[in-house]
Amino acid sequence: MSEREEHSKGGVYSVKGQEFSRDSRYIETRIVAEPRDGTDDYPVVPNRYRLIAAYACPWANRAIIVRELLGLEDVISMGNPGPTHDADSWTFDLDPGGVDPVLGIGKLKEAYEKRFPGYPRGITVPAMVDETTGEVVTNNFPQITEDLYFEWQQYHKEGAPNLWPGELREEMEEVMQRVYTEVNNGVYRCGFAGSQEAYDAAYDRLWTAMDWLEERLATRRYLMGDQITEADVRLFTTLVRFDAVYHGHFKTNRNKLTEMPNLWGYARDLYQTPGFGNNVKFDQIKDHYYIVHTDLNPLGIVPKGPDLSGWDTPHGRG
């Protein structure tokens, strides 16, 4: 079996056991308040960088949410590729002429290639692009949101949430690691399993974690207690896609999210919080998964269901 790359997420199928394995090699450059000697660090400068993030992509959706939660809209511009793309790159299908109005490019690949000619890996979102050069700075999605909090604090809005509380950092790192490996990536492990054995193992791992989350959220409003943290952002972008695409398209179908009282209430609580639900576009999410993943859905038919109207119903977790 040859390795196949899913360019929108940087994942590959490994040969061993036909199990989905994500390529986690990202551009390590950072944007920091005080660039370190001997590094490729870029300096924090307002109105210099453009966040390229597709609403369809859960990894990019994190950055979109954090940017708004922290009030960075006026110092970091944003461009949004369309939900579908070719095997080569994310594209700016939603913009007039199919061109990003600030960067003047039709494919995000152009920003990658400008800095790294012949860039060898998938063209992924989110990506931070230097508007002054048109070159990609980084696509390291977990580092991007962490740096938006710690390195851009001078530009945070008044009352911005503390997404990385120091007293909870150690436990939060453990929770986020489990959420990433077992849930964020776990749904992909189910969806892109290359054998029944690999799928069965992935399914069991996912639902062990989902049951753990259901139990954890029975005694606290958010993952880390009574305040929203980065951990909640990271879990939310998977939960909000669960019934819409993962349950059917990725075969994660033991339960719907709506059938898990604590997780469903928690997800609605976040969805109804400014910065979260207003940055969810279900039509783009469904178009992306059902049209781009031709190996899973060869005809590209996008289902009309499920009914997603329940996201605005009272959550009862206040």
Side-chain angles (χ1 to χ4, degrees):
M1 175 182 176
S2 63
E3 290 190 344
R4 294 180 293 169
E5 186 166 5
E6 191 220 345
H7 289 270
S8 62
K9 305 294 185 291
V12 297
Y13 296 95
S14 68
V15 175
K16 183 179 179 180
Q18 295 185 310
E19 176 185 334
F20 173 80
S21 177
R22 184 174 301 283
D23 182 352
S24 297
R25 296 169 296 169
Y26 299 102
I27 301 168
E28 298 295 332
T29 312
R30 294 175 58 193
I31 301 170
V32 296
E34 297 183 5
R36 300 160 296 174
D37 292 339
T39 71
D40 293 330
D41 289 345
Y42 282 60
V44 165
V45 177
N47 303 309
R48 175 173 171 177
Y49 304 102
R50 187 160 177 82
L51 170 65
I52 304 300
Y55 284 100
C57 171
W59 318 102
N61 205 180
R62 296 180 179 186
I64 295 172
I65 291 169
V66 169
R67 171 178 171 269
E68 181 170 334
L69 289 176
L70 299 178
L72 294 172
E73 301 99 315
D74 291 337
V75 294
I76 300 173
S77 71
M78 183 169 68
N80 305 116
T84 61
H85 54 77
D86 56 29
D88 192 43
S89 176
W90 287 90
T91 52
F92 294 95
D93 309 323
L94 304 179
D95 291 306
V99 173
D100 180 87
V102 172
L103 301 177
I105 58 177
K107 291 189 172 189
L108 179 56
K109 181 178 181 178
E110 296 178 55
Y112 278 70
E113 292 280 346
K114 192 163 186 181
R115 184 176 175 202
F116 303 107
Y119 185 75
R121 296 191 287 278
I123 306 302
T124 63
V125 290
M128 296 288 282
V129 177
D130 184 348
E131 293 184 16
T132 65
T133 64
E135 297 179 357
V136 68
V137 177
T138 181
N139 64 344
N140 189 341
F141 66 91
Q143 191 67 59
I144 286 173
T145 53
E146 184 170 349
D147 285 346
L148 288 179
Y149 180 75
F150 285 105
E151 303 299 330
W152 290 81
Q153 288 195 3
Q154 178 183 353
Y155 301 101
H156 289 183
K157 68 182 179 183
E158 184 177 354
N162 180 358
L163 297 179
W164 294 83
E167 70 277 12
L168 300 175
R169 181 71 183 260
E170 184 175 354
E171 182 188 3
M172 193 171 90
E173 293 279 12
E174 294 174 357
V175 169
M176 291 193 300
Q177 180 62 22
R178 187 170 183 184
V179 166
Y180 171 71
T181 59
E182 306 305 298
V183 181
N184 299 148
N185 204 40
V187 293
Y188 283 86
R189 199 180 294 114
C190 290
F192 289 104
S195 69
Q196 187 68 51
E197 180 183 21
Y199 166 74
D200 290 346
Y203 180 96
D204 290 343
R205 280 182 65 176
L206 170 66
W207 283 105
T208 295
M210 292 288 280
D211 287 338
W212 163 69
L213 288 167
E214 176 73 4
E215 182 177 355
R216 183 179 181 90
L217 289 165
T219 58
R220 62 194 74 201
R221 183 173 182 180
Y222 304 114
L223 279 178
M224 303 310 303
D226 60 0
Q227 65 186 96
I228 290 172
T229 66
E230 171 87 8
D232 298 300
V233 177
R234 295 185 178 195
L235 177 57
F236 173 78
T237 58
T238 294
L239 295 184
V240 81
R241 288 161 174 76
F242 202 89
D243 288 3
V245 289
Y246 299 147
H247 181 273
H249 187 57
F250 280 179
K251 307 180 186 69
T252 63
N253 57 359
R254 193 198 76 180
N255 297 98
K256 292 181 178 179
L257 183 66
T258 56
E259 296 167 347
M260 304 191 75
N262 298 324
L263 274 167
W264 176 224
Y266 161 82
R268 279 178 292 155
D269 189 359
L270 291 175
Y271 182 86
Q272 294 167 32
T273 299
F276 285 87
N278 58 297
N279 284 312
V280 173
K281 298 185 184 298
F282 285 117
D283 56 342
Q284 293 194 32
I285 289 169
K286 291 170 65 174
D287 282 352
H288 171 71
Y289 285 91
Y290 284 105
I291 294 174
V292 171
H293 298 161
T294 54
D295 48 350
L296 300 184
N297 189 36
L299 298 180
I301 296 171
V302 180
K304 295 181 72 172
D307 180 5
L308 299 170
S309 60
W311 281 96
D312 289 313
T313 60
H315 53 77
R317 294 181 65 85

PDB file of all heavy atoms in Angstrom, residues 61-62 64-66 68-69 157 236 270-280:
ATOM      1  N   ASN A  61      -9.889  26.472  12.540  1.00  0.00           N
ATOM      2  CA  ASN A  61     -10.996  27.067  13.284  1.00  0.00           C
ATOM      3  C   ASN A  61     -10.556  27.475  14.695  1.00  0.00           C
ATOM      4  O   ASN A  61     -11.031  28.459  15.263  1.00  0.00           O
ATOM      5  CB  ASN A  61     -12.147  26.074  13.355  1.00  0.00           C
ATOM      6  CG  ASN A  61     -13.514  26.707  13.536  1.00  0.00           C
ATOM      7  OD1 ASN A  61     -14.510  26.003  13.597  1.00  0.00           O
ATOM      8  ND2 ASN A  61     -13.597  28.020  13.626  1.00  0.00           N
ATOM      9  N   ARG A  62      -9.607  26.729  15.254  1.00  0.00           N
ATOM     10  CA  ARG A  62      -9.059  27.090  16.570  1.00  0.00           C
ATOM     11  C   ARG A  62      -8.483  28.507  16.537  1.00  0.00           C
ATOM     12  O   ARG A  62      -8.736  29.319  17.428  1.00  0.00           O
ATOM     13  CB  ARG A  62      -7.911  26.156  16.947  1.00  0.00           C
ATOM     14  CG  ARG A  62      -8.225  24.711  17.153  1.00  0.00           C
ATOM     15  CD  ARG A  62      -6.916  24.025  17.509  1.00  0.00           C
ATOM     16  NE  ARG A  62      -7.069  22.606  17.761  1.00  0.00           N
ATOM     17  CZ  ARG A  62      -6.099  21.823  18.199  1.00  0.00           C
ATOM     18  NH1 ARG A  62      -4.907  22.352  18.429  1.00  0.00           N
ATOM     19  NH2 ARG A  62      -6.307  20.539  18.413  1.00  0.00           N
ATOM     20  N   ILE A  64      -9.025  30.920  14.419  1.00  0.00           N
ATOM     21  CA  ILE A  64     -10.071  31.915  14.180  1.00  0.00           C
ATOM     22  C   ILE A  64     -10.755  32.283  15.492  1.00  0.00           C
ATOM     23  O   ILE A  64     -10.978  33.471  15.796  1.00  0.00           O
ATOM     24  CB  ILE A  64     -11.101  31.381  13.163  1.00  0.00           C
ATOM     25  CG1 ILE A  64     -10.468  31.183  11.790  1.00  0.00           C
ATOM     26  CG2 ILE A  64     -12.302  32.328  13.065  1.00  0.00           C
ATOM     27  CD1 ILE A  64     -11.367  30.481  10.786  1.00  0.00           C
ATOM     28  N   ILE A  65     -11.085  31.275  16.285  1.00  0.00           N
ATOM     29  CA  ILE A  65     -11.772  31.495  17.558  1.00  0.00           C
ATOM     30  C   ILE A  65     -10.884  32.259  18.529  1.00  0.00           C
ATOM     31  O   ILE A  65     -11.306  33.243  19.154  1.00  0.00           O
ATOM     32  CB  ILE A  65     -12.231  30.155  18.153  1.00  0.00           C
ATOM     33  CG1 ILE A  65     -13.355  29.544  17.304  1.00  0.00           C
ATOM     34  CG2 ILE A  65     -12.687  30.327  19.606  1.00  0.00           C
ATOM     35  CD1 ILE A  65     -13.698  28.111  17.647  1.00  0.00           C
ATOM     36  N   VAL A  66      -9.638  31.827  18.690  1.00  0.00           N
ATOM     37  CA  VAL A  66      -8.726  32.466  19.648  1.00  0.00           C
ATOM     38  C   VAL A  66      -8.461  33.920  19.248  1.00  0.00           C
ATOM     39  O   VAL A  66      -8.425  34.816  20.105  1.00  0.00           O
ATOM     40  CB  VAL A  66      -7.413  31.666  19.754  1.00  0.00           C
ATOM     41  CG1 VAL A  66      -6.358  32.456  20.533  1.00  0.00           C
ATOM     42  CG2 VAL A  66      -7.673  30.327  20.438  1.00  0.00           C
ATOM     43  N   GLU A  68     -10.451  35.980  17.868  1.00  0.00           N
ATOM     44  CA  GLU A  68     -11.576  36.815  18.290  1.00  0.00           C
ATOM     45  C   GLU A  68     -11.700  36.882  19.804  1.00  0.00           C
ATOM     46  O   GLU A  68     -11.979  37.948  20.360  1.00  0.00           O
ATOM     47  CB  GLU A  68     -12.883  36.296  17.685  1.00  0.00           C
ATOM     48  CG  GLU A  68     -14.075  37.151  18.095  1.00  0.00           C
ATOM     49  CD  GLU A  68     -15.351  36.845  17.351  1.00  0.00           C
ATOM     50  OE1 GLU A  68     -15.277  36.343  16.209  1.00  0.00           O
ATOM     51  OE2 GLU A  68     -16.430  37.103  17.909  1.00  0.00           O
ATOM     52  N   LEU A  69     -11.499  35.765  20.501  1.00  0.00           N
ATOM     53  CA  LEU A  69     -11.600  35.774  21.956  1.00  0.00           C
ATOM     54  C   LEU A  69     -10.639  36.799  22.564  1.00  0.00           C
ATOM     55  O   LEU A  69     -10.965  37.468  23.550  1.00  0.00           O
ATOM     56  CB  LEU A  69     -11.297  34.392  22.527  1.00  0.00           C
ATOM     57  CG  LEU A  69     -12.332  33.286  22.297  1.00  0.00           C
ATOM     58  CD1 LEU A  69     -11.814  31.962  22.862  1.00  0.00           C
ATOM     59  CD2 LEU A  69     -13.678  33.636  22.931  1.00  0.00           C
ATOM     60  N   LYS A 157      -7.651  42.595  23.920  1.00  0.00           N
ATOM     61  CA  LYS A 157      -8.717  43.499  24.329  1.00  0.00           C
ATOM     62  C   LYS A 157      -8.884  43.459  25.851  1.00  0.00           C
ATOM     63  O   LYS A 157      -8.486  42.488  26.513  1.00  0.00           O
ATOM     64  CB  LYS A 157     -10.034  43.118  23.657  1.00  0.00           C
ATOM     65  CG  LYS A 157     -10.614  41.781  24.119  1.00  0.00           C
ATOM     66  CD  LYS A 157     -11.899  41.460  23.372  1.00  0.00           C
ATOM     67  CE  LYS A 157     -12.484  40.120  23.813  1.00  0.00           C
ATOM     68  NZ  LYS A 157     -13.706  39.765  23.046  1.00  0.00           N
ATOM     69  N   PHE A 236     -13.670  21.924  21.284  1.00  0.00           N
ATOM     70  CA  PHE A 236     -14.891  22.413  20.643  1.00  0.00           C
ATOM     71  C   PHE A 236     -14.891  22.188  19.143  1.00  0.00           C
ATOM     72  O   PHE A 236     -15.911  21.795  18.561  1.00  0.00           O
ATOM     73  CB  PHE A 236     -15.073  23.908  20.939  1.00  0.00           C
ATOM     74  CG  PHE A 236     -16.206  24.548  20.193  1.00  0.00           C
ATOM     75  CD1 PHE A 236     -17.516  24.377  20.606  1.00  0.00           C
ATOM     76  CD2 PHE A 236     -15.968  25.323  19.054  1.00  0.00           C
ATOM     77  CE1 PHE A 236     -18.580  24.957  19.917  1.00  0.00           C
ATOM     78  CE2 PHE A 236     -17.013  25.904  18.364  1.00  0.00           C
ATOM     79  CZ  PHE A 236     -18.327  25.718  18.797  1.00  0.00           C
ATOM     80  N   LEU A 270     -20.493  26.488  24.828  1.00  0.00           N
ATOM     81  CA  LEU A 270     -19.424  27.161  24.097  1.00  0.00           C
ATOM     82  C   LEU A 270     -19.948  27.788  22.808  1.00  0.00           C
ATOM     83  O   LEU A 270     -19.610  28.934  22.480  1.00  0.00           O
ATOM     84  CB  LEU A 270     -18.301  26.170  23.784  1.00  0.00           C
ATOM     85  CG  LEU A 270     -17.489  25.671  24.971  1.00  0.00           C
ATOM     86  CD1 LEU A 270     -16.500  24.599  24.527  1.00  0.00           C
ATOM     87  CD2 LEU A 270     -16.764  26.809  25.678  1.00  0.00           C
ATOM     88  N   TYR A 271     -20.759  27.056  22.078  1.00  0.00           N
ATOM     89  CA  TYR A 271     -21.288  27.541  20.800  1.00  0.00           C
ATOM     90  C   TYR A 271     -22.003  28.874  20.978  1.00  0.00           C
ATOM     91  O   TYR A 271     -21.918  29.758  20.108  1.00  0.00           O
ATOM     92  CB  TYR A 271     -22.247  26.506  20.226  1.00  0.00           C
ATOM     93  CG  TYR A 271     -22.834  26.854  18.877  1.00  0.00           C
ATOM     94  CD1 TYR A 271     -22.149  26.549  17.698  1.00  0.00           C
ATOM     95  CD2 TYR A 271     -24.078  27.475  18.774  1.00  0.00           C
ATOM     96  CE1 TYR A 271     -22.692  26.860  16.447  1.00  0.00           C
ATOM     97  CE2 TYR A 271     -24.624  27.799  17.539  1.00  0.00           C
ATOM     98  CZ  TYR A 271     -23.923  27.483  16.387  1.00  0.00           C
ATOM     99  OH  TYR A 271     -24.469  27.793  15.159  1.00  0.00           O
ATOM    100  N   GLN A 272     -22.690  29.036  22.081  1.00  0.00           N
ATOM    101  CA  GLN A 272     -23.449  30.250  22.336  1.00  0.00           C
ATOM    102  C   GLN A 272     -22.609  31.363  22.981  1.00  0.00           C
ATOM    103  O   GLN A 272     -23.117  32.440  23.281  1.00  0.00           O
ATOM    104  CB  GLN A 272     -24.661  29.908  23.204  1.00  0.00           C
ATOM    105  CG  GLN A 272     -25.666  29.020  22.477  1.00  0.00           C
ATOM    106  CD  GLN A 272     -26.720  28.415  23.387  1.00  0.00           C
ATOM    107  OE1 GLN A 272     -27.126  29.017  24.381  1.00  0.00           O
ATOM    108  NE2 GLN A 272     -27.183  27.218  23.057  1.00  0.00           N
ATOM    109  N   THR A 273     -21.309  31.106  23.158  1.00  0.00           N
ATOM    110  CA  THR A 273     -20.374  32.101  23.681  1.00  0.00           C
ATOM    111  C   THR A 273     -19.762  32.874  22.512  1.00  0.00           C
ATOM    112  O   THR A 273     -19.278  32.261  21.559  1.00  0.00           O
ATOM    113  CB  THR A 273     -19.252  31.411  24.482  1.00  0.00           C
ATOM    114  OG1 THR A 273     -19.832  30.695  25.588  1.00  0.00           O
ATOM    115  CG2 THR A 273     -18.256  32.429  25.009  1.00  0.00           C
ATOM    116  N   PRO A 274     -19.799  34.215  22.527  1.00  0.00           N
ATOM    117  CA  PRO A 274     -19.222  34.985  21.424  1.00  0.00           C
ATOM    118  C   PRO A 274     -17.788  34.553  21.122  1.00  0.00           C
ATOM    119  O   PRO A 274     -16.972  34.392  22.025  1.00  0.00           O
ATOM    120  CB  PRO A 274     -19.279  36.423  21.939  1.00  0.00           C
ATOM    121  CG  PRO A 274     -20.459  36.431  22.878  1.00  0.00           C
ATOM    122  CD  PRO A 274     -20.412  35.087  23.563  1.00  0.00           C
ATOM    123  N   GLY A 275     -17.508  34.364  19.857  1.00  0.00           N
ATOM    124  CA  GLY A 275     -16.203  33.890  19.421  1.00  0.00           C
ATOM    125  C   GLY A 275     -16.229  32.447  18.962  1.00  0.00           C
ATOM    126  O   GLY A 275     -15.400  32.033  18.148  1.00  0.00           O
ATOM    127  N   PHE A 276     -17.191  31.696  19.459  1.00  0.00           N
ATOM    128  CA  PHE A 276     -17.283  30.271  19.114  1.00  0.00           C
ATOM    129  C   PHE A 276     -18.296  30.046  17.985  1.00  0.00           C
ATOM    130  O   PHE A 276     -17.927  29.868  16.830  1.00  0.00           O
ATOM    131  CB  PHE A 276     -17.637  29.441  20.348  1.00  0.00           C
ATOM    132  CG  PHE A 276     -16.505  29.253  21.320  1.00  0.00           C
ATOM    133  CD1 PHE A 276     -16.263  30.198  22.311  1.00  0.00           C
ATOM    134  CD2 PHE A 276     -15.697  28.134  21.262  1.00  0.00           C
ATOM    135  CE1 PHE A 276     -15.221  30.032  23.217  1.00  0.00           C
ATOM    136  CE2 PHE A 276     -14.649  27.958  22.153  1.00  0.00           C
ATOM    137  CZ  PHE A 276     -14.409  28.911  23.143  1.00  0.00           C
ATOM    138  N   GLY A 277     -19.577  30.034  18.327  1.00  0.00           N
ATOM    139  CA  GLY A 277     -20.589  29.679  17.338  1.00  0.00           C
ATOM    140  C   GLY A 277     -20.642  30.588  16.129  1.00  0.00           C
ATOM    141  O   GLY A 277     -20.937  30.145  15.017  1.00  0.00           O
ATOM    142  N   ASN A 278     -20.351  31.868  16.321  1.00  0.00           N
ATOM    143  CA  ASN A 278     -20.376  32.791  15.181  1.00  0.00           C
ATOM    144  C   ASN A 278     -19.230  32.520  14.211  1.00  0.00           C
ATOM    145  O   ASN A 278     -19.214  33.053  13.101  1.00  0.00           O
ATOM    146  CB  ASN A 278     -20.327  34.245  15.665  1.00  0.00           C
ATOM    147  CG  ASN A 278     -19.123  34.566  16.513  1.00  0.00           C
ATOM    148  OD1 ASN A 278     -18.955  34.000  17.599  1.00  0.00           O
ATOM    149  ND2 ASN A 278     -18.275  35.469  16.062  1.00  0.00           N
ATOM    150  N   ASN A 279     -18.283  31.685  14.610  1.00  0.00           N
ATOM    151  CA  ASN A 279     -17.192  31.294  13.720  1.00  0.00           C
ATOM    152  C   ASN A 279     -17.331  29.852  13.237  1.00  0.00           C
ATOM    153  O   ASN A 279     -16.342  29.243  12.807  1.00  0.00           O
ATOM    154  CB  ASN A 279     -15.852  31.494  14.431  1.00  0.00           C
ATOM    155  CG  ASN A 279     -15.461  32.962  14.499  1.00  0.00           C
ATOM    156  OD1 ASN A 279     -15.527  33.671  13.503  1.00  0.00           O
ATOM    157  ND2 ASN A 279     -15.078  33.423  15.682  1.00  0.00           N
ATOM    158  N   VAL A 280     -18.545  29.331  13.313  1.00  0.00           N
ATOM    159  CA  VAL A 280     -18.846  28.000  12.789  1.00  0.00           C
ATOM    160  C   VAL A 280     -19.717  28.154  11.544  1.00  0.00           C
ATOM    161  O   VAL A 280     -20.746  28.834  11.588  1.00  0.00           O
ATOM    162  CB  VAL A 280     -19.570  27.130  13.839  1.00  0.00           C
ATOM    163  CG1 VAL A 280     -20.036  25.812  13.216  1.00  0.00           C
ATOM    164  CG2 VAL A 280     -18.672  26.867  15.037  1.00  0.00           C
TER     165      VAL A 280
END
